[in-house]
Amino acid sequence: MKMKRLTIISCLLLLGIMNSSFAQAKKEKPLYKDANAPVEKRINDLVSRMTLEEKVYQLNQVLVGNNDNPNNVGEAVKKVPAEIGSLIYFGYDPVFRNSVQRHAMEESRLGIPILFGYDVIHGFRTIYPISLGQACSWNPELVKRSCSVAAQEARISGVDWTFSPMIDVARDPRWGRVAEGYGEDPYTNAVFAVASVQGYQGTDLSNTKNIAACLKHYVGYGASEGGRDYTYSEISKQTLWNTYLPPFEAGVKAGAATLMSAFNDISGVPASSNHYTLTEVLKDKWKHDGFVVSDWDAVKQLIRQGVAGSKKEATLKAFQAGVEMDMNDRYYLQSLAELVNEGAIPIEKINDAVGRVLRVKFRLGLFDNPYIPVKAEDKRYLLPENLKTVEKLVEESIVLLKNEKNTLPLSTKSRLAVIGPMAKNKEHLLGSWSAHGKAEDVVSIYEGLESEFKNMKLLYAEGCDFDGNDTSKFAEATKVAQGADAILVCLGEKKTWSGENGSRTLSLPQIQENLLLELKKLGKPIVLILSNGRPLELNRIEPASDAIVEIWQPGVNGGRPVAGILSGRINPSGKLAMTFPYSAEQIPIYYNMRQSARKNKGGYQDIPNNPRYEFTYGLSYTTFKYGELKASQLKIKHGDKLVVEIPVTNTGIRDGAETVHWFISDPVCSITRPIKELKFFEKQVIKAGETKIFRFEVDLDRDFSYVDETGKRVLESGDYFISVKENNIIVELVN
Ligand code: GLC
């Protein structure tokens, strides 16, 4: 009996202890750590617990990992302040990344996870075409799937946040960063902004296959004057709203978690201290609830740009404008607290900024799931199904620019000379911002030909280097070419000749052009393959080429799609998302310019006024015939539904994919408008002899209106032209 009583008492005692420790634990487990609590409650709870110093840390991003090899993990980890808000993580080692995260979770007072960011621009390890090439595919679904591949590889490697997509409308191909965006058109950049955000973020950021996106560079960076980088951009409010903001508005509406403020000076107010764009537009008008990170040292650069006289003033200007997180220069780390303490910055503003950063972290699930599984690299990268996805994107991004005398497809019985610095190169096919892409992963053009043309005799010579003036290998190249039936000349740009701080003229180095001209003397068919990060000037080599294939910088799966197009296995379907000027002297030249006030006047006297290749230009191995444009009604009023259709027939002997681009023009308006504006596009495969109907469901407010300088959409009555190639139809909008 006694024993029984003793047992009951000890059980009760144990229960009591458990209860109190549970209650204790319950008491100690703060709301912000409760995975079931609503995010906004968790944010408020956490912010209320934070000191000013801890808040300031959350508004800073520094670097880790680029030179931390495994045996000094301890050192690197200790160097990182446990309270830091974000790191740019240059590594991809889950063990190292988890050790840094554990440092934050367990060695800081509140255990706030670090947000690891990195430039995953067109792939993490499975590199796919540069964005300018992606745009030429006119296939947003494929871009979305490729971004999803990048997100999976990034997240499983410790990166939760990419500084992508870059959606800067750009019209000056001398600017190296045209490679990173989706070309010259606002609507095109908007469509691919949405596709990228959906690909990166999926439908649930806490899913560990997804990462947070970052719309950049906000805003107007593509207007950098003279195509030079880090410079001035003259942008009127009207142009800001009609040209540069639309892709960002689309990306924000698609749920982009973050934006990055740009380097450029917007008509006297730098993008990174521009209250109008960063707060009045982004936060007040578009209600963005994520955060803005500055571009690298962009806060510090406000001093050189001349709007701040000190570190403190630069910090004040950027923060007050609406930049929540400071990348790399540590200005916020050094000056924010002081500015708060002296009353220059209200603590409510700090709390709002911190709340925005925490919101992204909570949505990513980092508080509840801060660590990543440790998987071997071959289980993370270059997976077969992912390689297939990106190979399809390469196929559709390639643009056939010229094909005289049906030089292409090549007959497989011929002997082909493969000449040029790009023929066997792998590194430069990766393009700029190639993250953890490795040259060894790349299928070169030559390797692609080897696997495609089993019975073809391939003859090879490098011919010359990418630049310099060493013509000593010309003779060998000529000799090799003499033994061939056709000559494939593979030329282009190094990956560093575009991208950031990559402004150049549009010409290929003379040595490359001279090699092609030397080979032309042999009188054999010349097929020019171009791999480059910008539209080029082709005046000297276009006439000497019987066919020209623009492959951009295709990434790991470069060679096979190129070879597939040369053999005819693939019918090229790419079309230009950016104009190829006749020459740099024409710049700026782009499809949606205003027209001259005088018909056929005002152009140049001594060079052509048309570009070499216009926006949406691209050839196919088949031919398409466009039928009659039909509208559901020719007189419409506000609120009406307008549907326009056009039949397209494949009049050739082989199947092909065709993209139909729908433009609108508003010939009479209270402001001048571009000659035409792209408002919709659709790509369909059409079998030989088949006809497909392409439909454009016009939303009058969205598609016919313009945005005035206050950001208001204005829809005026009157005639509107809807056009597809040279076909157009007039509809009248009545009051
Ligand atoms: C660079 C680029 C920006 C990039 C950032 C981080 O300067 O301008 O696009 O995301 O710094 O690397």
Side-chain angles (χ1 to χ4, degrees):
M1 184 59 182
K2 205 171 164 202
M3 192 54 195
K4 202 172 161 197
R5 197 176 306 126
L6 204 61
T7 319
I8 289 168
I9 290 167
S10 51
C11 283
L12 284 174
L13 257 178
L14 190 63
L15 209 61
I17 293 164
M18 276 171 64
N19 257 331
S20 67
S21 57
F22 180 67
Q24 185 64 12
K26 188 103 179 65
K27 193 162 70 56
E28 266 158 24
K29 183 173 181 182
L31 175 65
Y32 75 91
K33 291 198 174 186
D34 176 358
N36 300 317
V39 165
E40 294 310 308
K41 285 195 181 325
R42 298 179 77 180
I43 291 171
N44 295 337
D45 176 58
L46 178 49
V47 172
S48 69
R49 298 167 185 270
M50 294 169 76
T51 64
L52 176 57
E53 190 195 22
E54 288 164 336
K55 292 174 182 174
V56 167
Y57 265 121
Q58 286 302 308
L59 305 180
N60 280 271
Q61 178 184 65
V62 295
L63 320 182
V64 79
N66 51 342
N67 54 7
D68 294 291
N69 47 45
N71 57 20
N72 75 347
V73 161
E75 267 321 295
V77 171
K78 271 199 227 79
K79 264 190 312 194
V80 172
E83 298 76 12
I84 195 71
S86 174
L87 293 170
I88 301 187
Y89 178 40
F90 290 91
Y92 49 88
D93 168 13
V95 172
F96 174 75
R97 188 270 191 190
N98 284 341
S99 59
V100 174
Q101 191 69 297
R102 191 160 288 108
H103 178 52
M105 298 302 286
E106 296 172 5
E107 286 152 47
S108 70
R109 188 174 71 88
L110 294 166
I112 301 174
I114 291 170
L115 180 60
F116 290 81
Y118 185 55
D119 290 291
V120 188
I121 308 301
H122 52 110
F124 185 83
R125 170 73 185 273
T126 302
I127 305 301
Y128 44 89
I130 55 170
S131 302
L132 186 55
Q134 295 172 38
C136 296
S137 74
W138 300 97
N139 192 329
E141 182 51 34
L142 256 185
V143 167
K144 177 177 165 184
R145 283 168 42 204
S146 301
C147 289
S148 172
V149 168
Q152 291 167 44
E153 291 191 347
R155 192 78 187 255
I156 193 76
S157 303
V159 170
D160 322 297
W161 173 33
T162 178
F163 307 130
S164 173
M166 192 271 217
I167 50 177
D168 301 316
V169 172
R171 293 151 165 179
D172 188 330
R174 293 171 296 180
W175 191 49
R177 307 202 77 165
V178 297
E180 302 172 48
Y182 297 96
E184 68 191 43
D185 174 61
Y187 175 75
T188 310
N189 275 277
V191 168
F192 287 105
V194 172
S196 309
V197 168
Q198 291 172 344
Y200 289 134
Q201 299 192 168
T203 52
D204 171 8
L205 263 186
S206 67
N207 178 323
T208 53
K209 288 184 181 301
N210 300 329
I211 54 177
C214 180
L215 306 173
K216 75 182 188 184
H217 303 79
Y218 190 65
V219 63
Y221 189 21
S224 297
E225 66 181 5
R228 293 181 294 275
D229 215 343
Y230 317 116
T231 186
Y232 182 75
S233 51
E234 180 54 60
I235 307 176
S236 70
K237 277 269 176 60
Q238 222 278 323
T239 302
L240 192 64
W241 278 105
N242 261 309
T243 302
Y244 297 104
L245 285 172
F248 289 92
E249 184 173 14
V252 165
K253 284 201 175 125
T258 68
L259 288 87
M260 180 183 291
S261 67
F263 289 137
N264 55 301
D265 168 356
I266 306 174
S267 304
V269 183
S272 292
S273 63
N274 197 304
H275 187 268
Y276 177 71
T277 53
L278 290 162
T279 292
E280 292 166 59
V281 173
L282 179 61
K283 298 175 176 65
D284 299 345
K285 199 171 177 67
W286 294 347
K287 309 291 180 215
H288 186 244
D289 68 358
F291 70 89
V292 175
V293 62
S294 75
D295 201 339
W296 188 292
D297 285 358
V299 176
K300 177 176 170 185
Q301 287 171 192
L302 295 175
I303 295 174
R304 188 169 162 78
Q305 285 174 300
V307 291
S310 68
K311 186 178 294 193
K312 204 161 114 179
E313 192 181 359
T315 300
L316 180 62
K317 290 231 166 177
F319 186 80
Q320 281 182 328
V323 175
E324 280 80 30
M325 186 181 279
D326 174 15
M327 180 190 286
N328 190 59
D329 56 34
R330 298 172 186 245
Y331 273 33
Y332 278 22
L333 259 186
Q334 293 152 22
S335 303
L336 261 188
E338 190 184 341
L339 287 162
V340 172
N341 293 333
E342 61 192 38
I345 294 178
I347 190 62
E348 295 72 23
K349 283 275 180 201
I350 295 285
N351 293 344
D352 174 68
V354 172
R356 290 169 177 272
V357 173
L358 296 178
R359 186 168 294 120
V360 174
K361 293 186 176 184
F362 278 116
R363 284 176 177 166
L364 277 163
L366 292 180
F367 280 83
D368 315 313
N369 186 13
Y371 306 112
I372 55 172
V374 180
K375 278 195 172 176
E377 286 190 27
D378 63 359
K379 295 281 181 286
R380 295 187 251 157
Y381 306 136
L382 304 165
L383 303 179
E385 67 276 16
N386 293 340
L387 286 169
K388 240 165 68 203
T389 299
V390 303
E391 181 157 340
K392 188 82 182 83
L393 182 54
V394 178
E395 290 178 9
E396 298 204 18
S397 65
I398 291 174
V399 185
L400 179 60
L401 296 175
K402 183 178 184 181
N403 189 22
E404 306 248 299
K405 301 175 287 223
N406 287 320
T407 304
L408 294 177
L410 294 169
S411 72
T412 51
K413 293 186 213 31
S414 57
R415 290 163 303 162
L416 183 66
V418 185
I419 314 280
M422 202 59 88
K424 291 195 173 182
N425 187 279
K426 292 171 175 262
E427 177 68 25
H428 299 311
L429 293 187
L430 288 170
S432 57
W433 296 106
S434 52
H436 296 292
K438 296 180 191 297
E440 71 210 42
D441 301 335
V442 174
V443 177
S444 70
I445 295 170
Y446 192 82
E447 289 167 336
L449 294 166
E450 283 181 310
S451 64
E452 185 79 21
F453 292 99
K454 298 278 186 249
N455 311 324
M456 169 104 79
K457 183 157 180 46
L458 295 178
L459 313 164
Y460 167 73
E462 187 184 23
C464 70
D465 198 349
F466 284 94
D467 50 8
N469 47 29
D470 173 8
T471 58
S472 62
K473 292 182 268 184
F474 278 24
E476 183 220 2
T478 305
K479 190 159 170 293
V480 163
Q482 270 158 347
D485 304 302
I487 307 168
L488 192 71
V489 187
C490 307
L491 307 178
E493 293 187 309
K494 289 185 174 179
K495 60 187 280 192
T496 53
W497 292 359
S498 55
E500 184 176 352
N501 200 16
S503 303
R504 288 174 70 90
T505 65
L506 306 187
S507 310
L508 279 177
Q510 203 65 48
I511 189 83
Q512 293 192 40
E513 296 189 341
N514 290 344
L515 171 66
L516 187 143
L517 297 173
E518 197 59 29
L519 295 166
K520 184 62 193 169
K521 292 173 186 169
L522 299 173
K524 298 169 186 281
I526 296 250
V527 178
L528 171 59
I529 304 286
L530 286 173
S531 174
N532 40 291
R534 59 162 53 80
L536 295 173
E537 175 178 317
L538 302 172
N539 292 333
R540 287 165 297 287
I541 53 178
E542 188 278 339
S545 307
D546 300 285
I548 302 175
V549 184
E550 175 58 70
I551 70 169
W552 303 111
Q553 286 153 336
V556 291
N557 282 334
R560 262 193 301 279
V562 175
I565 284 174
L566 295 176
S567 73
R569 169 172 59 86
I570 297 161
N571 186 358
S573 63
K575 294 178 180 248
L576 295 179
M578 189 167 186
T579 301
F580 271 55
Y582 170 82
S583 71
E585 286 90 348
Q586 287 185 329
I587 293 169
I589 183 167
Y590 48 97
Y591 90 91
N592 45 352
M593 297 190 289
R594 265 62 172 191
Q595 63 185 1
S596 159
R598 291 193 176 185
K599 194 169 169 55
N600 300 329
K601 287 188 186 296
Y604 304 103
Q605 293 183 349
D606 57 346
I607 59 169
N609 286 290
N610 290 327
R612 165 73 55 193
Y613 301 118
E614 65 181 6
F615 179 69
T616 73
Y617 173 84
L619 300 175
S620 168
Y621 288 149
T622 188
T623 48
F624 296 102
K625 184 172 174 302
Y626 282 58
E628 192 193 348
L629 251 180
K630 285 206 177 77
S632 52
Q633 43 197 321
L634 297 180
K635 200 185 274 288
I636 46 172
K637 54 187 186 309
H638 294 249
D640 277 0
K641 196 166 150 49
L642 173 66
V643 177
V644 202
E645 293 184 348
I646 188 164
V648 179
T649 304
N650 179 341
T651 48
I653 55 166
R654 53 172 299 163
D655 301 350
E658 176 70 344
T659 302
V660 168
H661 293 89
W662 296 87
F663 298 90
I664 69 107
S665 321
D666 179 0
V668 180
C669 177
S670 47
I671 62 163
T672 64
R673 293 185 67 176
I675 298 168
K676 59 182 185 177
E677 299 169 64
L678 181 67
K679 293 296 178 184
F680 182 63
F681 62 82
E682 182 190 4
K683 184 172 196 175
Q684 294 192 55
V685 174
I686 310 178
K687 291 190 179 315
E690 194 188 41
T691 295
K692 286 257 176 100
I693 302 295
F694 288 76
R695 273 169 71 93
F696 172 23
E697 293 189 10
V698 181
D699 173 320
L700 302 180
D701 280 317
R702 180 193 65 200
D703 301 321
F704 279 6
S705 64
Y706 69 89
V707 189
D708 73 11
E709 58 183 21
T710 68
K712 192 162 70 62
R713 279 207 164 279
V714 179
L715 177 61
E716 295 182 349
S717 52
D719 287 349
Y720 287 86
F721 285 77
I722 300 174
S723 60
V724 171
K725 287 188 182 288
E726 59 289 335
N727 314 285
N728 57 57
I729 194 164
I730 303 176
V731 291
E732 184 194 359
L733 174 61
V734 295
N735 271 331

